[in-house]
Amino acid sequence: MTEQGASASSAIPRIPDDTLVQIAGRIAHLGGFIVDLAADRVFWSNEVCDIYGVPHGTTPSPADTLAYYPPEWRARATQVYLDCAERGIAFDEEVQILRTDGTRKWIRATAHAVRDADGNVTGLEGALQDIDAAKHADHERRLLANRLTTTLESITDGVVMVDRQWRFTFINSVAERLLHSPREQVLGTSLWDRFPEAVGGRYYEEYHRAIATNCSTSFEEYYAPLDLWTEIRAYPSEEGLAIYFLDIRERKMAQDKIHALAYYDKLTGLPNRELLLARLEEAVSTNRELQRHRALLIIDLDNFKSINDTRGHEKGDQLLLLVASRLRRCITNTDLVARFGGDEFVIVLDDLGTEAQAADKAARHAAGQLLTCFAASFDIDGIALYSSASIGVTVFDGEALTPDELLKRADLAMYQAKAAGRNGFAMFSPEIASRLADRVALEHDLRRGLTSGQFLLHYQPLARVGGAMTGVEALVRWNHPVRGLVPPNDFITPAEESGLILPLGQWVMHTACSLLASWAADPATSHLTMAVNVSAHQLYRADFVAQVMTVLAATGASPHRLKLELTESLLVNDVEGTIAKMVELKAAGVRFSLDDFGTGYSSLSYLYRLPLSQLKIDKSFVRDAIGGQQGAAIAHTILALGRTLRLSVLAEGVETREQHDFIAGAGCAEYQGYLYSRPLDEERLAQFMAAALPRHPASDPAVTLPW
């Protein structure tokens, strides 16, 4: 019995206990097992017992062993066991077991069949490894990978990952859409094969640098084949490169719009003042480095304000657009044209060479060519408008001048061109600076004079040729505290160019109408008229009629006694608008006189349409009438025209008895001049009127026509 037991015992395989194999097994969580089919027993190593949570030395039956598998795994475990035990098919499975404490554990079980000399399967030998930790780690990695994929799919960035051979390993849906690259077509393919146009460019250089230096990179770049503006962030790793990118087209468009608003004129699209100043700084610096010359030209449209006021701002804007377009065509590609503001444009002529004299000559030639650009009319909604320009030119080299100083020089030259009659150009010189400095000082004094009450009115009496006073013409004077009494010819033009003519004209109108209103209560003076000169800057304002009516209402003056004097030149730019305003005021009782008739640009085609009451013969014709000169013929012509149009005619500048007798004999009923009276201040006018006017006039000589 003992021998048989010993024999049987020696035939059964044993799992070694405290050998190096067992030690290694514990470290690797790996144990061995043997299935003895004849004995219907499974022999587990200590490590396997630990995995199952049973005491060392436990030898369950195969059926007991299969009971350690959860129901969902038991069928599979049974099948692979039977395949190995009955057919000798080895297995290698990863499954879950139920430990004795009720917890689950992932294991890897491998086994092969043990055969006897006849080839019959007598048992199984195998290994069992605790892979629970690895499985959980792998599960966590899978969860993390899924979460990462989900995250990368949900963000608004395009995400692309490539390996170190530049093959696509990942692409999210945003990148698919932006790159027009379905993932099934690009994964595994080369980045540079997919986008060959990028090879050698910014993307190529930045990505290679990131891989080579193992440093992240970020940049913005435009990819023309896809018309795509991108903001890139790329991060290298051992696996390759992770590329995050955004479509920044809208941001770029917004930036371009902001840039355009900051540096380009909204109306014309030309560079504005800010960009011009920056370019001028560059030009001065470049001149200094290369010893070159350039020129700065300021172009101011003549009478633009009149066009803008009479035609409306919309037509004015159209004119500016047409001017901008014409100026672009008149310069070279290297020159700069900018809108400086209002109706002013600035041109910077590029590289005029190293010789000052040649540069000056080239700048003059360019200015002359620009003037010819304004010769043709501007077609605005089918209406041909003409606009000339005054141009100021300054040539500059590398002299240490600021852009503002250069602009001031050109501006001074431009004012010189205007003073010379407009529609021309002037070159800057120190003499111009000196003269125009005086002009600036005069304008400054004008502003101060308006606020400090330095202006006053003188009144020149008007009379019938028989001697009866009919009214006065209000003439503005400037009593400067240092310059003395400044004549109108010295300050009216600067007042018009500076815009001060508007408040000055308003003051003249109000002061004159206040005096006119005071005469209404006295029968001796109630018939007198008040003539007030009107500037083009006043007449062309859209609210001119309202301003006149406001003054009449505020002063209480009778509109029937107010006479507004216009010059022929006022009628050139806006005949229709002028006529409309005159008709409206005439309907209220205001009368109009055409001053200096015959010296301007009168056209009989529209003269008869003007609601005039009077023509005035210019003093030059009166002076030339004596001695058989042409003035006599012109005076007779004007008088005949007045009779035809049923207008009264007044002769100006009558200084001698001979001149008086001529106009009287020619049929002129009214005159003014030194022969009758010089212009008088209000106090002396009152004295003159006291002597000249009868206390109880029988009729109103101011309104009785001479025929």
Side-chain angles (χ1 to χ4, degrees):
M1 185 70 177
T2 305
E3 290 180 359
Q4 289 179 346
S7 176
S9 175
S10 63
I12 299 174
R14 295 294 183 183
I15 304 298
D17 294 326
D18 295 324
T19 64
L20 290 175
V21 174
Q22 287 281 21
I23 296 172
R26 283 195 296 272
I27 295 173
H29 302 289
L30 178 67
F33 67 88
I34 295 174
V35 179
D36 186 343
L37 295 177
D40 196 30
R41 281 287 177 268
V42 180
F43 299 93
W44 285 343
S45 70
N46 292 341
E47 183 61 31
V48 172
C49 291
D50 290 340
I51 291 173
Y52 278 95
V54 298
H56 291 182
T58 299
T59 56
S61 67
D64 292 336
T65 301
L66 291 172
Y68 280 96
Y69 291 89
E72 67 269 23
W73 288 103
R74 193 170 299 158
R76 176 63 180 169
T78 301
Q79 184 62 50
V80 298
Y81 168 73
L82 292 175
D83 286 345
C84 188
E86 295 175 356
R87 300 164 58 191
I89 301 174
F91 63 83
D92 186 344
E93 297 286 328
E94 292 183 358
V95 294
Q96 280 186 313
I97 63 169
L98 279 170
R99 302 176 78 243
T100 55
D101 61 3
T103 60
R104 291 187 176 221
K105 184 181 288 289
W106 278 96
I107 64 165
R108 180 185 179 189
T110 62
H112 64 272
V114 178
R115 298 177 184 271
D116 59 15
D118 296 326
N120 298 314
V121 177
T122 60
L124 286 73
E125 288 183 350
L128 191 142
Q129 184 179 18
D130 180 357
I131 62 170
D132 197 64
K135 271 290 186 179
H136 283 296
D138 183 61
H139 180 67
E140 289 297 324
R141 281 194 299 271
R142 289 178 181 274
L143 288 177
L144 179 61
N146 288 335
R147 284 197 293 268
L148 178 60
T149 300
T150 302
T151 300
L152 294 179
E153 286 292 344
S154 65
I155 64 176
T156 57
D157 292 40
V159 183
V160 167
M161 296 181 184
V162 295
D163 61 20
R164 295 230 164 202
Q165 283 71 48
W166 304 105
R167 293 187 296 258
F168 285 96
T169 59
F170 177 81
I171 178 171
N172 73 348
S173 57
V174 176
E176 283 186 288
R177 176 174 54 82
L178 295 178
L179 300 179
H180 305 290
S181 300
R183 67 186 67 187
E184 61 271 12
Q185 295 181 12
V186 299
L187 291 178
T189 65
S190 169
L191 171 66
W192 308 121
D193 289 343
R194 185 72 183 180
F195 303 106
E197 297 87 357
V199 174
R202 181 78 182 280
Y203 296 103
Y204 188 89
E205 293 175 354
E206 291 288 344
Y207 293 166
H208 277 79
R209 185 178 61 80
I211 290 290
T213 62
N214 199 35
C215 294
S216 63
T217 183
S218 61
F219 59 95
E220 293 180 0
E221 184 61 17
Y222 176 70
Y223 188 60
L226 295 179
D227 189 24
L228 180 64
W229 261 110
T230 58
E231 179 189 87
I232 302 291
R233 301 183 311 283
Y235 304 94
S237 66
E238 292 182 1
E239 289 76 23
L241 194 66
I243 304 166
Y244 297 77
F245 64 96
L246 288 171
D247 177 3
I248 58 172
R249 171 189 295 275
E250 291 187 2
R251 184 205 304 172
K252 280 293 182 181
M253 291 175 62
Q255 289 174 348
D256 290 344
K257 186 174 182 180
I258 292 171
H259 183 269
L261 290 173
Y263 294 107
Y264 289 87
D265 177 55
K266 185 177 181 181
L267 175 65
T268 64
L270 294 175
N272 63 9
R273 181 188 181 98
E274 294 301 320
L275 185 53
L276 171 68
L277 294 177
R279 295 289 176 84
L280 279 177
E281 286 186 353
E282 294 175 8
V284 172
S285 176
T286 303
N287 281 354
R288 188 178 304 116
E289 293 173 4
L290 304 178
Q291 300 299 308
R292 314 297 288 182
H293 290 78
R294 286 176 170 78
L296 175 66
L297 293 77
I298 288 186
I299 303 167
D300 186 88
L301 304 185
D302 298 330
N303 301 320
F304 173 76
K305 190 175 186 307
S306 299
I307 295 174
N308 208 34
D309 289 344
T310 56
R311 298 287 183 179
H313 291 287
E314 182 181 351
K315 297 294 189 295
D317 286 348
Q318 291 183 44
L319 176 59
L320 291 175
L321 282 168
L322 292 173
V323 169
S325 176
R326 198 171 288 186
L327 289 177
R328 285 193 190 99
R329 297 196 300 269
C330 290
I331 64 173
T332 67
N333 291 334
T334 57
D335 297 333
L336 172 71
V337 57
R339 185 185 178 197
F340 198 57
D343 61 338
E344 281 190 342
F345 297 84
V346 173
I347 289 177
V348 179
L349 298 179
D350 195 41
D351 198 356
L352 300 181
T354 59
E355 297 295 329
Q357 187 172 356
D360 184 83
K361 183 178 179 181
R364 290 175 181 272
H365 176 74
Q369 290 294 106
L370 286 169
L371 288 176
T372 63
C373 291
F374 288 86
S377 64
F378 294 89
D379 186 353
I380 299 179
D381 294 340
I383 300 174
L385 290 180
Y386 290 86
S387 178
S388 60
S390 298
I391 304 176
V393 186
T394 183
V395 177
F396 62 98
D397 52 16
E399 184 182 356
L401 294 171
T402 66
D404 283 337
E405 289 171 330
L406 284 173
L407 288 166
K408 183 177 181 181
R409 288 185 173 187
D411 205 42
L412 291 174
M414 184 268 292
Y415 276 111
Q416 179 66 20
K418 281 191 176 294
R422 307 187 178 193
N423 193 25
F425 72 88
M427 305 292 293
F428 171 80
S429 67
E431 292 76 17
I432 286 180
S434 176
R435 287 197 301 269
L436 291 180
D438 293 339
R439 183 68 164 269
V440 171
L442 180 64
E443 289 185 7
H444 179 268
D445 286 353
L446 272 171
R447 295 181 187 278
R448 180 177 296 177
L450 275 171
T451 58
S452 59
Q454 295 176 9
F455 288 90
L456 65 155
L457 290 183
H458 283 184
Y459 304 90
Q460 185 167 31
L462 314 178
R464 288 194 173 279
V465 292
M469 182 178 176
T470 60
V472 299
E473 179 181 356
L475 304 170
V476 65
R477 298 290 186 266
W478 183 13
N479 190 17
H480 192 278
V482 176
R483 302 172 188 262
L485 202 61
V486 182
N489 288 343
D490 290 349
F491 68 82
I492 291 297
T493 298
E496 288 179 332
E497 292 176 351
S498 64
L500 294 174
I501 194 66
L502 296 176
L504 178 60
Q506 191 77 354
W507 175 84
V508 169
M509 183 81 69
H510 192 279
T511 304
C513 286
S514 295
L515 181 59
L516 178 62
S518 70
W519 294 342
D522 187 345
T525 58
S526 61
H527 69 284
L528 296 178
T529 62
M530 176 68 71
V532 178
N533 291 280
V534 174
S535 164
H537 294 266
Q538 296 171 272
L539 181 63
Y540 292 155
R541 285 185 61 88
D543 60 350
F544 174 69
V545 173
Q547 286 188 358
V548 174
M549 298 308 296
T550 298
V551 169
L552 289 170
T555 59
S558 169
H560 299 280
R561 301 299 172 188
L562 176 63
K563 183 166 56 176
L564 301 181
E565 295 200 355
L566 314 177
T567 60
E568 292 180 70
S569 59
L570 298 187
L571 308 176
V572 175
N573 289 322
D574 184 25
V575 176
E576 299 302 327
T578 299
I579 291 175
K581 292 171 186 173
M582 292 173 68
V583 168
E584 189 173 351
L585 285 171
K586 183 179 181 181
V590 177
R591 288 181 283 177
F592 290 90
S593 175
L594 192 58
D595 200 6
D596 302 332
F597 183 71
T599 63
Y601 311 92
S602 292
S603 171
L604 297 181
S605 64
Y606 65 78
L607 183 61
Y608 77 94
R609 297 171 53 202
L610 298 174
L612 296 170
S613 299
Q614 186 179 70
L615 299 177
K616 296 183 75 172
I617 303 174
D618 185 69
K619 60 184 177 182
S620 62
F621 302 141
V622 174
R623 182 180 61 249
D624 293 343
I626 307 304
Q629 299 186 46
Q630 291 182 346
I634 294 175
H636 281 292
T637 300
I638 295 173
L639 285 163
L641 183 62
R643 285 191 292 271
T644 301
L645 298 177
R646 297 189 61 79
L647 303 175
S648 67
V649 179
L650 181 146
E652 296 180 299
V654 178
E655 300 180 353
T656 66
R657 174 56 63 180
E658 188 178 11
Q659 292 171 348
H660 173 273
D661 292 343
F662 166 76
I663 63 167
C668 183
E670 196 173 359
Y671 76 101
Q672 70 184 95
Y674 288 179
L675 179 64
Y676 187 67
S677 174
R678 291 176 175 272
L680 307 169
D681 60 27
E682 188 172 341
E683 181 180 353
R684 289 186 297 159
L685 175 65
Q687 297 171 357
F688 179 88
M689 290 167 57
L693 293 173
R695 302 315 300 166
H696 301 288
S699 63
D700 182 356
V703 295
T704 302
L705 295 176
W707 50 82

